[in-house]
Amino acid sequence: MSINDISKFKHLFIEEATSLLNSMESIILELESHPNNLDLIQEVFRVMHTIKGVSGMYAYQGMSDLTHSVENIYDLIRNGIVPVSQDILDTTLTVVDQLFALLKDKDIEDEKNASRQKELLYWCETFLANVNHSNEKIQLKKNSDSHKKVTYNVILHTLQSVVDRKINIFYTIKDLAEIGEIKSINPLAVEAEEEERWSIFIVGEFGNEDIEDALMFVYEYCIIRKVADFDIFNNKELDENQNELLAEELMHHSKAEQSVITTSDKLTPSSIKTSKPEAMIDSIKQNMNRVAVDSEKLDHLMYLVSELITTSSQLNLTTTSNNYNSIRSHLEKLDKLSKQFRNNALDIRLIPIRDIMPKFNRLVRDVSLDLGKEVEFLTEGMSTELDKTSIDMVAEPLVHMIRNALDHGIESPEIREENGKTRKGVIKLKAYNSGSDIFIEVSDDGKGLNKDKIIEKAIEKGLINNRENLNNKEALFLICQPGFTTASEVTSISGRGVGMDVVRQKIAEMRGELEISSEVGKGSLFTIKLQQSIAILDTLLIRSNKMKFLLPLSDVEVCTQKPYHEINDRLHHGTIDHENELIPFISIRKLFELEEHDTPMAKMIIIKKNNLRCAICADEIIGQHQAVLKPMGDLVKSHKEISAASVLGNGEVAFLLDTNSFKYDKHYDS
Amino acid sequence: MDKKNIESYLTFLLKGEMFAVSVNKVLEIIETGEEHTISYLPKAAKSISGVVNFRGNVIPVIDTRIKFDLQSFQEKEKFVVIVLNLLINDREQMVGAMADKVVDVIEIDQAEIKSVPEVGQGYNSEFIHGVVHRNNKFIMLLNLEEAIGTEAITKLRLDKNEDITMTNQTKPSEAINNIELS
């Protein structure tokens, strides 16, 4: 698929549709608890309507068919003809899933999607047919309205300048869809590649001014023509649908199917008046508060910022060595500004955790239904912000953790009652920041983790030999060992474990930490600690031989020094004493097979990670370095001790030591 | 293979021999020094001489002489780094390749490309996809993706009596142990 094939505006459609569908999930779940909220119903209708209009424009026929049907159902609901039911909501959620799938599978090539599409369309059809059958009178009345309709044809001409002016065609279509029914959107042939021409047929009860209003922002790119004083599509379609109907379903008489058309045509003046200003205000508000930016643009901005910081530190280095006192103050200012700039740019990338919330609501709902458990899902601090990349990465472990809590944490309602708990279990997702760290907690009030059983299981699995030297935390951490449990064994130890090694690994990849605490019978608490941004890190720059390494400053506890011969003596023990405590140590020289160097004293950097201490021996501690981290390519991935690299002020490359990779769990093995 | 018959190639020298690589794959030619110091990477394969900062990215630099089993670069010898965008393991990756000197950009007609001679002082056709004769000189068209994609040291030229083995200075097992390509 070449880039040129993709219409310039198509990615905007996909972006918008994705965000609309995301919002749909939370709206539906909200609707589930407040089924009579008219605003929510209106919102569902509007979203479906919008997606229908624009998906047609880009020839996503499946999406447009499906949204058309659902839109009709919600139209009936908002007009009070049918009430909101669990069935409808369940189907709507499935529809949302299907729409997500169709975004990627435009022509419904996937078999699963195709069969689901059929099912959903059939469901909607039957539903509408049933409703309409019992509402003949209303339908008839509406039918008689149709003769007042007019048909307009709009030729919309979009080209680069429209994009440059930041006009979103999407909203134009949306506005258009609100005054009448968009019957068809077809691309017309164009000469130049960078322009597009669309022919739009719109039917409804509106005047010239309404349509001009709707096209306000793109008026100069449009040709508007009135085609007829009636709905030119209506008569023809009626016939078509009747034929189809006769062939397919003889039970319901033609009126039933007619109504499908009439309801879709039924953006009557009264409903326009109520929905239009509301929608306008909503979309204006949204647009004022949030700017949707392509994440690639942000990545580029980050790249520029990182280059600026690197250059600025290069400049600093040159001036310090050359004694340019006259420009010193300017430089300091530049330094300060670029740091502010960096913080600002990082800030732009921050996204509230709330944005991934709908997925979790959905997960809890679906899984608890599946398992026959009653669960209340509480959230707190969802406005806590995280870097975009971190949000994307943390979603997966969170899903595992919440699923585990549902599956193995929360007991079934009967058992809960027996144990004197409420029938409904509680799972809580809580996020907060403390300093530059972000904490995300997943807790439940289920049965908790049984330490003894875990240890038993671990011995059985051959992960550990004896139980004596394990404290509580270490024991609980065993569930994160790869191979500790597989799905079938989990229930038998009444612990959890599905994917816990994946969880730990994912969190480690983000340089985060995982903590587990639990009380049998009362519940468990999983805490993820993350840095707000994983792209820029405050580090300690150290040197060993000629090589330079970085350590995350947040891990460094204290620095001391020791004569080298003492360290060499202890090499084969692997431990060294620090403040009367034997702690494991790592000699960088040995780790990377560097040659002996003539420094009498070794610098020891004591780091603390995952609550365990470890010493790192290097030749020299150079100082602090604000590292813009760069991934190491595939060719050098074999270094598990090095997780990233950073360019120093003088163009040299320093390597970030992965403090997570150092074996702390060594004493589990032995 | 290619629809167009004429393609541009960048030619460079490596220990007196002329090689060429398609310009489509070349991103930039950098001279090492101030801004582009090659930083030694510990425990890497012998053919990786280190990493370098390129447009803010940290990319590995291949010592092509070691890679192709020619005499390696001496400490004070001058060289340039050709930054290439290669498709390795189905992913586009930036890699630097050391060369003695960049010579020219020439246009080569696909019809001109002769297959690798198999008799006499043959070449390892796995990594050279053709030879072009220009001004009484042979220019070897390198298949870098293949060459860099494999971890071990690759020999371009086969002596009659020798198999594709490593010279005694680098044992194959060593090279393979040192780097694992994911």
Side-chain angles (χ1 to χ4, degrees):
Chain A
M1 188 168 59
S2 108
I3 291 162
N4 294 339
D5 292 343
I6 302 170
S7 144
K8 280 227 155 90
F9 305 103
K10 196 162 145 188
H11 75 274
L12 280 180
F13 160 64
I14 293 174
E15 256 169 47
E16 289 283 351
T18 311
S19 82
L20 279 173
L21 288 173
N22 273 330
S23 71
M24 269 301 276
E25 282 195 326
S26 43
I27 294 167
I28 300 286
L29 292 170
E30 179 99 30
L31 198 55
E32 212 166 24
S33 32
H34 311 279
N36 294 321
N37 190 330
L38 197 65
D39 286 344
L40 294 172
I41 297 166
Q42 290 279 15
E43 191 58 40
V44 177
F45 176 80
R46 254 191 322 256
V47 169
M48 286 298 163
H49 196 71
T50 313
I51 294 177
K52 180 182 83 172
V54 196
S55 58
M57 187 168 171
Y58 290 101
Y60 282 77
Q61 196 51 46
M63 285 183 80
S64 128
D65 291 347
L66 196 56
T67 40
H68 179 79
S69 303
V70 178
E71 178 195 0
N72 286 338
I73 294 176
Y74 278 86
D75 191 39
L76 293 174
I77 297 172
R78 68 174 188 169
N79 286 309
I81 295 169
V82 285
V84 173
S85 71
Q86 191 61 39
D87 260 7
I88 296 178
L89 292 177
D90 283 344
T91 312
T92 317
L93 282 176
T94 325
V95 166
V96 171
D97 288 344
Q98 173 74 352
L99 291 174
F100 269 122
L102 292 183
L103 265 183
K104 288 179 194 122
D105 185 15
K106 182 177 163 192
D107 300 317
I108 326 184
E109 280 154 357
D110 187 286
E111 256 176 54
K112 229 165 70 193
N113 289 345
S115 71
R116 187 157 67 163
Q117 175 88 355
K118 234 190 210 160
E119 265 169 42
L120 285 170
L121 282 175
Y122 182 75
W123 191 92
C124 293
E125 210 174 276
T126 336
F127 182 86
L128 285 167
N130 286 337
V131 172
N132 289 321
H133 201 58
S134 56
N135 283 290
E136 263 171 46
K137 280 178 196 166
I138 302 164
Q139 303 310 328
L140 282 175
K141 224 171 105 193
K142 270 166 197 155
N143 265 346
S144 64
D145 284 349
S146 67
H147 71 271
K148 282 184 212 151
K149 290 191 168 133
V150 288
T151 309
Y152 270 85
N153 175 234
V154 178
I155 306 282
L156 181 62
H157 193 112
T158 57
L159 66 175
Q160 193 54 42
S161 64
V162 178
V163 179
D164 289 347
R165 282 174 54 194
K166 304 269 184 276
I167 297 169
N168 193 339
I169 298 294
F170 200 80
Y171 285 110
T172 305
I173 305 293
K174 193 174 159 186
D175 287 345
L176 214 50
E178 268 169 26
I179 61 162
E181 163 96 8
I182 295 180
K183 279 295 181 182
S184 78
I185 304 180
N186 291 310
L188 299 178
V190 285
E191 284 156 29
E193 250 183 48
E194 60 276 5
E195 57 177 276
E196 287 181 0
R197 239 181 241 254
W198 305 92
S199 165
I200 303 165
F201 278 96
I202 175 164
V203 175
E205 298 168 39
F206 51 83
N208 235 339
E209 290 148 28
D210 293 325
I211 204 162
E212 278 172 21
D213 263 3
L215 296 169
M216 188 161 62
F217 294 109
V218 288
Y219 192 62
E220 55 213 274
Y221 308 105
C222 290
I223 304 163
I224 305 169
R225 278 181 309 183
K226 189 171 176 178
V227 182
D229 276 330
F230 55 92
D231 180 353
I232 59 163
F233 293 90
N234 206 4
N235 298 328
K236 218 173 74 196
E237 256 188 53
L238 265 177
D239 293 340
E240 263 179 31
N241 278 294
Q242 259 168 341
N243 287 340
E244 259 179 45
L245 191 86
L246 282 171
E248 274 179 24
E249 236 181 44
L250 286 163
M251 273 173 64
H252 297 286
H253 293 292
S254 53
K255 265 169 198 154
E257 189 67 15
Q258 270 176 22
S259 59
V260 176
I261 300 138
T262 44
T263 44
S264 65
D265 283 355
K266 189 190 49 66
L267 266 174
T268 51
S270 67
S271 70
I272 292 167
K273 259 159 212 155
T274 50
S275 71
K276 197 186 170 186
E278 215 180 285
M280 286 268 273
I281 292 165
D282 267 8
S283 70
I284 290 171
K285 265 190 197 159
Q286 258 177 16
N287 286 350
M288 289 210 307
N289 291 337
R290 291 196 111 168
V291 186
V293 185
D294 203 334
S295 62
E296 260 176 51
K297 284 185 187 165
L298 279 184
D299 289 345
H300 190 68
L301 180 72
M302 280 315 293
Y303 160 68
L304 290 176
V305 169
S306 64
E307 283 298 274
L308 181 70
I309 287 177
T310 314
T311 317
S312 144
S313 58
Q314 272 168 0
L315 202 60
N316 256 329
L317 206 76
T318 342
T319 43
T320 342
S321 50
N322 290 338
N323 230 356
Y324 295 118
N325 278 330
S326 49
I327 57 165
R328 208 60 255 155
S329 64
H330 299 293
L331 262 178
E332 267 161 26
K333 202 171 171 192
L334 179 71
D335 201 50
K336 214 167 124 194
L337 278 174
S338 55
K339 269 182 191 144
Q340 276 176 7
F341 183 37
R342 179 204 75 166
N343 289 340
N344 229 307
L346 277 176
D347 211 54
I348 293 174
R349 289 178 56 91
L350 296 182
I351 290 175
I353 294 190
R354 192 183 298 111
D355 283 21
I356 47 170
M357 273 296 301
K359 296 268 169 240
F360 297 140
N361 277 327
R362 183 74 191 280
L363 179 82
V364 171
R365 179 188 175 277
D366 289 358
V367 176
S368 59
L369 273 177
D370 261 12
L371 296 168
K373 290 177 181 175
E374 288 173 32
V375 179
E376 194 178 351
F377 185 51
L378 298 176
T379 54
E380 194 184 318
M382 286 301 111
S383 53
T384 310
E385 289 178 317
L386 261 174
D387 187 84
K388 167 125 191 10
T389 354
S390 311
I391 285 264
D392 292 346
M393 286 174 81
V394 84
E396 192 187 332
L398 281 180
V399 166
H400 278 299
M401 286 157 72
I402 292 173
R403 185 172 289 162
N404 277 339
L406 281 163
D407 199 358
H408 313 297
I410 303 286
E411 313 92 328
S412 62
E414 296 77 37
I415 295 176
R416 286 184 67 90
E417 272 180 343
E418 264 172 44
N419 294 339
K421 289 183 184 175
T422 50
R423 276 180 74 85
K424 235 180 183 175
V426 176
I427 291 178
K428 194 170 170 189
L429 180 69
K430 181 181 171 189
Y432 55 94
N433 33 351
S434 154
S436 68
D437 295 323
I438 306 284
F439 293 87
I440 303 174
E441 291 178 2
V442 176
S443 58
D444 63 68
D445 66 346
K447 56 192 159 201
L449 294 161
N450 188 331
K451 182 191 160 192
D452 296 327
K453 282 197 178 164
I454 290 171
I455 291 176
E456 223 169 84
K457 193 80 196 168
I459 292 171
E460 189 188 308
K461 287 251 143 194
L463 294 169
I464 50 168
N465 293 330
N466 50 7
R467 62 182 67 202
E468 282 75 29
N469 54 5
L470 286 179
N471 65 29
N472 222 354
K473 274 212 165 100
E474 286 169 328
L476 293 182
F477 242 93
L478 284 170
I479 65 167
C480 298
Q481 291 275 323
F484 176 71
T485 45
T486 62
S488 60
E489 283 145 346
V490 166
T491 40
S492 63
I493 66 141
S494 74
R496 39 192 102 194
V498 180
M500 276 316 284
D501 63 320
V502 179
V503 169
R504 188 177 70 158
Q505 190 196 329
K506 283 274 163 194
I507 292 168
E509 266 173 39
M510 304 166 69
R511 281 188 284 284
E513 287 174 39
L514 176 68
E515 251 185 64
I516 306 170
S517 64
S518 180
E519 205 174 317
V520 177
K522 292 233 173 109
S524 325
L525 169 70
F526 291 77
T527 310
I528 303 176
K529 181 182 165 194
L530 293 173
Q531 267 124 20
Q532 195 162 41
S533 161
I534 54 169
I536 296 186
L537 192 68
D538 280 313
T539 58
L540 188 71
L541 181 62
I542 56 173
R543 182 184 63 82
S544 208
N545 201 335
K546 278 181 195 157
M547 295 196 53
K548 302 211 168 99
F549 295 95
L550 301 164
L551 282 167
L553 202 60
S554 53
D555 294 344
V556 175
E557 203 174 53
V558 72
C559 299
T560 61
Q561 55 182 6
K562 258 197 169 59
Y564 244 116
H565 61 86
E566 237 177 81
I567 285 172
N568 286 336
D569 286 348
R570 306 239 9 127
L571 262 182
H572 60 282
H573 294 292
T575 53
I576 201 153
D577 66 312
H578 165 67
E579 288 172 355
N580 303 323
E581 187 193 348
L582 271 183
I583 57 170
F585 84 100
I586 287 152
S587 159
I588 294 180
R589 277 190 195 173
K590 181 146 182 285
L591 189 65
F592 294 108
E593 292 154 11
L594 301 172
E595 281 162 35
E596 289 293 311
H597 210 259
D598 218 17
T599 336
M601 295 297 270
K603 301 288 186 281
M604 291 217 317
I605 301 108
I606 314 292
I607 59 168
K608 195 174 179 184
K609 187 85 184 178
N610 298 327
N611 272 325
L612 289 157
R613 278 203 184 84
C614 171
I616 291 177
C617 304
D619 293 349
E620 189 190 348
I621 294 169
I622 299 172
Q624 266 189 27
H625 172 66
Q626 205 160 58
V628 181
L629 300 178
K630 301 287 173 187
M632 307 275 288
D634 267 8
L635 286 170
V636 285
K637 232 183 183 169
S638 53
H639 298 260
K640 61 172 188 296
E641 297 91 353
I642 295 173
S643 59
S646 173
V647 180
L648 299 178
N650 58 5
E652 248 183 285
V653 177
F655 304 100
L656 182 76
L657 291 174
D658 185 359
T659 41
N660 267 313
S661 81
F662 301 145
K663 283 273 176 207
Y664 295 110
D665 37 8
K666 222 171 208 156
H667 44 289
Y668 294 160
D669 314 335
S670 57
Chain B
M1 284 207 290
D2 292 279
K3 282 168 199 154
K4 283 176 200 163
N5 284 333
I6 292 177
E7 218 184 310
S8 298
Y9 282 81
L10 176 82
T11 56
F12 58 93
L13 281 175
L14 210 56
K15 206 69 192 140
E17 301 222 44
M18 181 98 88
F19 293 90
V21 60
S22 168
V23 289
N24 296 331
K25 289 173 188 158
V26 179
L27 289 176
E28 198 172 304
I29 295 149
I30 53 177
E31 292 195 30
T32 51
E34 277 286 297
E35 248 187 278
H36 302 284
T37 329
I38 293 183
S39 306
Y40 169 70
L41 185 68
K43 281 166 99 179
K46 280 230 164 62
S47 60
I48 291 182
S49 68
V51 291
V52 75
N53 163 30
F54 174 67
R55 295 185 194 162
N57 293 301
V58 175
I59 62 166
V61 177
I62 314 286
D63 188 330
T64 31
R65 283 207 199 160
I66 294 181
K67 184 88 202 168
F68 298 133
D69 199 23
L70 305 161
Q71 194 191 1
S72 75
F73 283 96
Q74 299 305 306
E75 206 159 295
K76 277 181 190 161
E77 249 180 307
K78 270 202 167 176
F79 62 88
V80 292
V81 174
I82 304 170
V83 182
L84 303 150
N85 198 12
L86 300 178
L87 195 71
I88 298 171
N89 303 329
D90 291 325
R91 273 183 44 198
E92 284 205 353
Q93 295 187 33
M94 288 194 282
V95 170
M98 287 164 80
D100 296 15
K101 199 179 152 195
V102 167
V103 184
D104 200 1
V105 174
I106 55 167
E107 295 201 327
I108 296 177
D109 194 323
Q110 294 298 306
E112 252 184 285
I113 301 175
K114 299 198 176 64
S115 59
V116 183
E118 278 172 20
V119 258
Q121 265 201 329
Y123 295 98
N124 189 349
S125 58
E126 223 180 303
F127 307 116
I128 295 175
H129 72 81
V131 176
V132 172
H133 195 221
R134 281 274 168 95
N135 307 329
N136 285 328
K137 256 192 155 177
F138 280 110
I139 301 168
M140 280 173 279
L141 309 185
L142 276 178
N143 189 352
L144 278 169
E145 259 116 357
E146 285 293 323
I148 290 171
T150 50
E151 52 258 57
I153 289 164
T154 51
K155 228 181 164 192
L156 289 183
R157 191 176 278 228
L158 307 176
D159 289 331
K160 252 185 180 173
N161 305 323
E162 227 179 297
D163 290 332
I164 317 169
T165 47
M166 312 298 145
T167 52
N168 42 11
Q169 57 197 112
T170 42
K171 288 172 207 139
S173 57
E174 230 179 272
I176 292 160
N177 283 343
N178 281 344
I179 184 162
E180 260 171 47
L181 285 170
S182 58

